[in-house]
Amino acid sequence: TQAAIEQGISYFAQAVEKDPTYALAYAGLSGCYLSLGAFGFIPPEEARQNAQAAATRALELDDALAEAHVSLAMIKLLLAWDSPAAESELKRALELNPDLEDAHRVYSIYLALHRRETEALAEINRSLELDPLSPITNWSAAFNYVVLGRYEQARAQLRKTIELEPDFAPAHSWLSTEYSRQGR
């Protein structure tokens, strides 16, 4: 929810106030701003500017911080439409931390959008192995299935997401869209 994301921003801002060199807090801020933009709580350009500033600061402090590279990849993929740069950032993040769920999840989305089905499915499956109970990870798997034209798998994954988190609105919204596509 918007309130939860804004609470996250508050916590990360407090961490930065206490330690202005805490790179991971800046990466967290970047992720929160991306979430606010992705779910339509703030305009995309505002999300991009805030997320970019926070991710850039994180990398200035620690260029080996995989989480910040994932944030930059998301900015480049979803807000700047720079696919080659997004893939480069994702590969760097995975090189730095091969077990970072966010990196696998975002890379799976990148691969699905580029119709690299086998690779996309491998990445989302790895993401689900790393964090099987995450609503956003399960929703992302459904997103990939829709993009790849695997609608029955998408509906099943959305139902699973709702079982995990009954109040996760994006899953309800997408499931209703999928049911509409079926005429149900």
Side-chain angles (χ1 to χ4, degrees):
T1 68
Q2 182 176 3
I5 298 167
E6 289 172 349
Q7 185 67 51
I9 288 172
S10 173
Y11 289 145
F12 287 125
Q14 289 174 38
V16 167
E17 283 179 32
K18 290 183 180 187
D19 182 359
T21 66
Y22 188 26
L24 192 56
Y26 286 102
L29 278 169
S30 182
C32 286
Y33 285 117
L34 285 167
S35 294
L36 283 177
F39 292 117
F41 297 128
I42 62 175
E45 183 57 21
E46 182 182 342
R48 187 197 62 74
Q49 288 176 358
N50 290 328
Q52 178 89 36
T56 299
R57 181 66 181 137
L59 290 173
E60 288 170 355
L61 294 167
D62 183 357
D63 186 51
L65 186 62
E67 292 84 353
H69 286 282
V70 172
S71 287
L72 278 182
M74 291 177 66
I75 293 164
K76 291 176 186 310
L77 179 62
L78 303 175
L79 299 171
W81 301 102
D82 186 348
S83 287
E87 185 172 28
S88 177
E89 291 292 342
L90 288 163
K91 286 181 176 180
R92 177 74 175 134
L94 288 166
E95 174 186 302
L96 292 167
N97 186 350
D99 292 327
L100 183 61
E101 182 278 326
D102 284 347
H104 289 283
R105 179 174 42 82
V106 175
Y107 197 29
S108 77
I109 292 168
Y110 169 88
L111 293 165
L113 291 171
H114 288 85
R115 301 290 188 234
R116 292 164 56 185
E117 183 171 352
T118 301
E119 294 169 274
L121 295 174
E123 288 296 325
I124 198 59
N125 286 335
R126 179 66 179 131
S127 184
L128 286 165
E129 287 172 11
L130 291 167
D131 196 355
L133 302 179
S134 165
I136 193 70
T137 302
N138 279 274
W139 178 84
S140 295
F143 174 89
N144 285 353
Y145 294 142
V146 168
V147 169
L148 297 170
R150 295 171 167 242
Y151 302 114
E152 187 55 44
Q153 285 178 282
R155 287 186 291 275
Q157 193 69 46
L158 288 165
R159 287 189 295 271
K160 180 177 180 180
T161 305
I162 292 167
E163 287 175 18
L164 290 170
E165 181 57 57
D167 294 330
F168 192 67
H172 288 282
S173 175
W174 275 59
L175 188 56
S176 69
T177 300
E178 285 306 303
Y179 285 147
S180 292
R181 183 189 320 265
Q182 288 182 300
R184 294 171 56 191

